Amino acid sequence: MSAVAATTERTRRVRTRTGLTATIVAVIASVLAFALQGLGLNDKVPAGLVVYGVAFAVLALGGWYAVRRLARDADPVLYPTAVLLGGLGLAMLFRLMGARNHPEFATEQAVWLAIGLGVLVATLALVRDVRQLDAYTYTIGLAGVALLLLPIVPGIGTEINGARLWINLGFITFQPAEAGRILIVIFLASYLGQRRELLAAGVGRFGLPRAKDLGPILLAWGASLLVLFLERDMGASLLLFGVFIVMLWVATGRWAYLVLGLVLFAIGAYVGYLAFSHVQVRVDAWLHAMDPNKVADEGYQLSQGWFALASGGMVGTGLGLGSPTLIPYVGSDFILAAFGEELGMLGVAAVLLLYLVVVGRGLRIAVERHDNFEKLLAVGVTTVLGLQVFVIAAGVLRLIPLTGVPLPLVSYGGTSRVASAVAIALLLRTSAGPYFRKRRMRTTTKEADTQVDV
């Protein structure tokens, strides 16, 4: 065997050992969290601990084996980190729903996590080379826009808490915007990759974009405002526009686009504040959550979240030993506050560091890619995940108004889990490279070694 082939094989073995060890640690930590929440809540380990542990281990390790087979050279840390986030989220949801005597809702999320793992594997199996997606730029873009705007269709669109985000088909309710965002990222990676040189051309001392190149950014701004006005969802609008600006900046390297994007975002946010009463209520609650006259009304959710974080202190009360169920919508909007109360500041920091690992590995994958489409796709997918974490964490901590964006892989929400699994799968495929090309390279290497030996 040649020196290059031997080095490559050693690298693959190290990646395999790293991925397997990290996945086993993620399984142990997740099952331990499930046991501790039951012990804290009911003074005994959950009756279904063995079944849960075996099922979780089979799913997680089966997923790791599938990733190794379909994307052998993929980043070894991304998948185990996603498994650990999903496992910790499930443990907290079982604790929250168990306290409210509705464990079936947590069981439903466990099923969605299993579905998400299946979708992750299916994505790797179907998308053998992410550059295949580059050939369907406008088809994917139209599909993404259609999914974003689907909730406004009469008869199937459903409004909850002032936002029209859900589709109700009778047998299932879901948020199509979660999948729509992934498709929009793929479209933007293809579109910007093809036009990066034209968009990067600037005029004047500060390299300002030319007037004719402002079309894409104005179109994205208009689309985000359309989502805001038609669906009344500030979070989806922020994510859509934020992802576009970041990808545009990475594609062109022009700081002028970031500045212009911030200006347009400020204008859009102000218009949304003036237009919608529920946005005004959220901003008012953000500014005056601890006001004695509003702490029991508009500011109740935020104030309870702060009380939970304060009660947790540095190390928390322990899983199952706090009172996070006093927070409205704690399983979705405020699950980070539940971690803060029962695992303390250290627990919240640990969860956020896990997300930092995902974002860091995603950006590293982008840096290592030489193809424009692959680089922008990795940046876009990573930005979607990172922005979601920032928006919900900053909302819970009262740094920005609360938008109701789910915490990826952790919060209650089946559609969000599946969409996050697809995002992780795209990062894994991008880091591993084309599946067929890798298999042909291994075959070619073996043939070359045989000829050398002869």
Side-chain angles (χ1 to χ4, degrees), residues 208-233:
L208 296 176
R210 296 175 298 182
K212 65 179 182 179
D213 295 329
L214 291 178
I217 191 171
L218 294 177
L219 184 62
W221 183 56
S224 63
L225 286 181
L226 189 65
V227 170
L228 178 62
F229 277 87
L230 295 181
E231 300 181 4
R232 301 181 180 182
D233 181 33

Side-chain angles (χ1 to χ4, degrees), residues 194-254:
Q194 295 168 11
R195 292 163 175 78
R196 61 185 302 270
E197 293 183 359
L198 293 175
L199 293 170
V203 296
R205 179 180 178 183
F206 300 102
L208 296 176
R210 296 175 298 182
K212 65 179 182 179
D213 295 329
L214 291 178
I217 191 171
L218 294 177
L219 184 62
W221 183 56
S224 63
L225 286 181
L226 189 65
V227 170
L228 178 62
F229 277 87
L230 295 181
E231 300 181 4
R232 301 181 180 182
D233 181 33
M234 188 166 54
S237 178
L238 169 61
L239 283 174
L240 176 63
F241 190 62
V243 167
F244 175 78
I245 292 300
V246 170
M247 293 181 69
L248 182 61
W249 171 59
V250 171
T252 63
R254 294 287 183 181

